[in-house]
């Protein structure tokens, strides 16, 4: 069995705008062009627009004319959304400082939620000491005040009642669901309408039986799985874009990793809705890869007559970050399996090796990359090949 694992680098290698910063540009463009699309001023905007903005104007005006339901849904999802507003300000501040637009939604969400979780105990402690209201620490407030819309305020200038954190938790999860649905619309209605102009030769030649995708998009299925007789199995571990989704049943996973330790993980579920493991269960994204592992375990393992592995795992465009340790290690450690990890630059290779140490451990990694029948091969990926449609 041959399993292909793909991460966001796979989509980026096809020049698809799937970074969070790309989504924020889309959001910003919608806000700038929303009124234009409703009026007869598109021509004037078009004449001064750059190429990227022209693509947005065409897209939004087309939605307004032919898919107004989606257009109006975007308006609703973006309206007064604390996460959209917060991420937008973070993005603008980075650009103003001359930095790139890189932003990690999940890291930012985790930082906010952990601070809010700690703040509830701080507030309740003061209330339990006889105060009518409680205060956060200045450190907690420094993290939370920007998303409250009051950046830079002093802890002495604001107090909270015992319901303050609970109220904000409800607002944050509601707006996170709205953000996630808006991201799905962007990917489904904008990104997946783009036809890649390149193919990856390393991937194109593979005989793939199963695809484990950490992406929301269907890039491999649409542009590589073109043989109608093939029966490739797919597992979209973080959910996938769908045409008929709503904010209530969107199955995209956008959350954070577990930050609690010990018994607190089982005892304290106050912010469980933000955690990815909970979302996977709640949104029923499934873990089909577990069935693949069990299936492989039933077949003879080892290497074939020509020294080829009977089972192969190929990894493309994934950073091998420790947040996916459980999934990656269970696949890489399958007996009789050869894992080929593609990298596109020396910098990427260095980062992947560093992350592999965290996933497998130093001794285990060394044992797997050396020897005639090394079970892990790090392979420089070939340059993309231009294709015509």
């Amino acid at each position: 069995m041959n399993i292909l694992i793909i991460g966001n680098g796979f989509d980026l290698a096809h020049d698809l705008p799937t970074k969070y910063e790309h989504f924020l540009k889309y959001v910003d463009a919608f806000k700038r062009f929303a009124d234009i699309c409703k009026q007869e001023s598109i021509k004037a905007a078009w004449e001064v627009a750059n190429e990227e903005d022209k693509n947005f104007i065409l897209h939004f005006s087309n939605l307004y004319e032919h898919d107004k339901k989606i257009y109006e849904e975007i308006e609703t999802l973006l309206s007064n959304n604390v996460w959209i507003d917060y991420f937008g300000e973070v993005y603008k501040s980075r650009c103003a400082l001359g930095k790139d637009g890189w932003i990690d939604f999940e890291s930012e969400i985790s930082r906010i939620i952990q601070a809010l979780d700690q703040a509830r105990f701080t507030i309740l402690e003061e209330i339990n000491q006889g105060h009518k209201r409680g205060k956060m620490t200045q450190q907690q407030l420094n993290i939370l005040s920007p998303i409250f819309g009051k950046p830079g305020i002093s802890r002495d200038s604001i107090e909270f009642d015992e319901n303050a954190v609970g109220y904000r938790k409800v607002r944050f999860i509601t707006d996170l669901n709205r953000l996630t649905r808006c991201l799905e619309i962007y990917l489904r209605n904008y990104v997946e309408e783009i036809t890649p102009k390149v193919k990856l030769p390393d991937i194109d030649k593979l005989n793939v039986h199963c695809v484990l995708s950490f992406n929301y998009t269907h890039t491999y299925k649409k542009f590589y799985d073109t043989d109608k007789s093939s029966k490739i199995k797919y597992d979209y571990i973080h959910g996938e874009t769908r045409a008929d989704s709503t904010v209530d049943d969107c199955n995209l996973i956008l959350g954070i990793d577990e930050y609690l330790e010990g018994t607190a993980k089982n005892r304290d579920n106050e912010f469980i809705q933000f955690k990815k493991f909970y979302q996977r269960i709640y949104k029923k994204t499934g873990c089909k890869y577990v069935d693949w592992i069990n299936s492989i375990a039933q077949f003879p393992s080892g290497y074939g007559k020509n020294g080829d592995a009977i089972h192969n795992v190929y990894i493309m465009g994934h950073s091998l970050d420790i947040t996916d340790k459980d999934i990656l290690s269970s696949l890489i450690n399958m007996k009789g399996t050869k894992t080929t990890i593609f990298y596109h630059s020396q910098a990427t290779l260095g980062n992947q090796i560093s992350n592999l140490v965290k996933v497998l451990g130093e001794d285990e990694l060394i044992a797997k990359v050396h020897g005639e029948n090394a079970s892990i091969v790090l392979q420089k990926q070939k340059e993309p090949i231009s294709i015509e449609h």
Side-chain angles (χ1 to χ4, degrees):
M1 180 183 290
N2 296 329
I3 299 173
L4 173 63
I5 301 174
I6 54 177
N8 193 41
F10 179 78
D11 277 357
L12 294 175
H14 293 85
D15 294 322
L16 297 175
T18 53
K19 292 182 179 180
Y20 289 135
E21 64 186 88
H22 294 140
F23 170 62
L24 291 177
K25 284 185 178 180
Y26 179 85
V27 168
D28 178 65
F30 184 89
K31 292 178 178 179
R32 286 187 287 119
F33 297 129
D35 291 335
I36 293 174
C37 294
K38 298 177 183 178
Q39 303 168 6
E40 296 181 357
S41 53
I42 293 180
K43 183 178 180 181
W46 181 270
E47 291 175 350
V48 297
N50 58 32
E51 184 177 351
E52 184 177 48
D53 278 348
K54 285 181 178 179
N55 290 333
F56 286 139
I57 291 173
L58 282 173
H59 171 70
F60 293 132
S61 59
N62 183 63
L63 281 182
Y64 186 76
E65 291 294 329
H66 304 291
D67 203 344
K68 204 166 184 178
K69 181 180 178 182
I70 290 293
Y71 184 93
E72 292 176 344
E73 185 180 4
I74 295 174
E75 278 189 310
T76 301
L77 295 170
L78 296 183
S79 176
N80 199 26
N81 187 310
V82 293
W83 292 111
I84 290 288
D85 295 341
Y86 173 72
F87 291 141
E89 289 301 315
V90 172
Y91 176 75
K92 289 177 184 177
S93 65
R94 288 185 61 85
C95 292
L97 293 172
K99 300 178 181 179
D100 60 37
W102 184 86
I103 181 172
D104 186 338
F105 282 9
E106 294 178 359
S107 293
E108 289 290 334
I109 293 170
S110 183
R111 196 169 68 93
I112 295 293
I113 296 305
Q114 289 189 59
L116 192 63
D117 197 357
Q118 294 164 4
R120 69 187 171 108
F121 291 109
T122 305
I123 293 168
L124 287 175
E125 184 178 358
E126 290 203 356
I127 292 175
N128 290 336
Q129 290 175 355
H131 301 281
K132 290 183 178 180
R133 299 165 71 88
K135 297 178 181 179
M136 298 181 185
T137 67
Q138 188 60 54
Q139 182 181 18
Q140 292 164 356
L141 201 56
N142 289 342
I143 295 173
L144 294 170
S145 60
I147 201 169
F148 292 166
K150 301 176 180 179
I153 59 175
S154 167
R155 72 179 296 268
D156 295 325
S157 65
I158 186 169
E159 295 180 328
F160 302 89
D161 63 32
E162 58 184 337
N163 298 316
V165 170
Y167 165 77
R168 284 169 172 79
K169 183 194 78 170
V170 172
R171 173 72 184 279
F172 285 1
I173 194 63
T174 298
D175 283 2
L176 179 60
N177 290 335
R178 294 167 66 211
L179 164 66
T180 305
R181 169 57 184 154
C182 193
L183 176 62
E184 180 180 31
I185 292 175
Y186 165 68
L187 295 171
R188 181 80 185 187
N189 294 77
Y190 186 78
V191 174
E192 293 197 308
E193 290 299 312
I194 300 172
T195 301
K197 298 179 181 179
V198 299
K199 264 195 171 182
L200 307 181
D202 296 295
I203 301 302
D204 200 25
K205 68 180 181 180
L206 294 180
N207 179 27
V208 175
H209 303 114
C210 304
V211 175
L212 173 60
S213 178
F214 285 85
N215 301 337
Y216 306 124
T217 54
H218 303 89
T219 306
Y220 181 88
K221 189 172 187 178
K222 290 173 66 176
F223 300 105
Y224 291 86
D225 186 8
T226 55
D227 183 356
K228 296 186 183 297
S229 64
S230 71
K231 296 181 179 179
I232 297 177
K233 298 177 181 178
Y234 291 87
D235 187 2
Y236 293 92
I237 196 71
H238 288 163
E240 61 183 309
T241 62
R242 298 177 297 177
D244 56 350
S245 289
T246 67
V247 69
D248 294 320
D249 62 13
C250 169
N251 77 344
L252 269 57
I253 305 299
L254 180 55
I256 63 178
D257 295 309
E258 180 62 76
Y259 56 86
L260 298 174
E261 299 179 352
T263 59
K265 290 194 298 184
N266 301 322
R267 186 182 68 249
D268 190 349
N269 293 326
E270 183 69 20
F271 291 90
I272 194 172
Q273 292 164 297
F274 294 90
K275 298 176 182 179
K276 284 192 283 190
F277 85 88
Y278 170 89
Q279 292 183 16
R280 289 192 188 111
I281 298 171
Y282 184 80
K283 296 185 178 185
K284 301 177 181 178
T285 56
C287 296
K288 297 177 183 177
Y289 76 92
V290 176
D291 294 330
W292 305 343
I293 293 174
N294 292 335
S295 178
I296 287 175
Q298 297 175 14
F299 289 89
S301 60
Y303 288 81
K305 294 180 180 180
N306 298 323
D308 298 326
I310 294 174
H311 307 297
N312 288 280
V313 172
Y314 302 98
I315 302 177
M316 169 69 78
H318 194 291
S319 66
L320 310 179
D321 191 82
I322 194 172
T323 56
D324 297 316
K325 175 180 178 178
D326 291 347
I327 298 171
L328 294 171
S329 62
S330 62
L331 288 162
I332 293 174
N333 286 324
M334 289 188 298
K335 291 184 178 180
T337 299
K338 179 180 179 181
T339 299
T340 301
I341 300 170
F342 295 98
Y343 65 93
H344 70 82
S345 69
Q346 289 301 116
T348 302
L349 174 60
N351 183 59
Q352 288 178 318
I353 293 173
S354 177
N355 286 340
L356 274 173
V357 172
K358 299 174 185 176
V359 170
L360 301 174
E362 182 178 324
D363 293 340
E364 187 69 19
L365 175 60
I366 292 173
K368 288 182 178 293
V369 298
H370 293 303
E372 185 178 350
N373 287 329
S375 61
I376 292 181
V377 175
L378 299 163
Q379 182 171 318
K380 178 73 180 293
Q381 65 189 65
K382 297 176 182 177
E383 290 297 316
I385 297 175
S386 297
I387 55 176
E388 295 184 4
H389 298 279

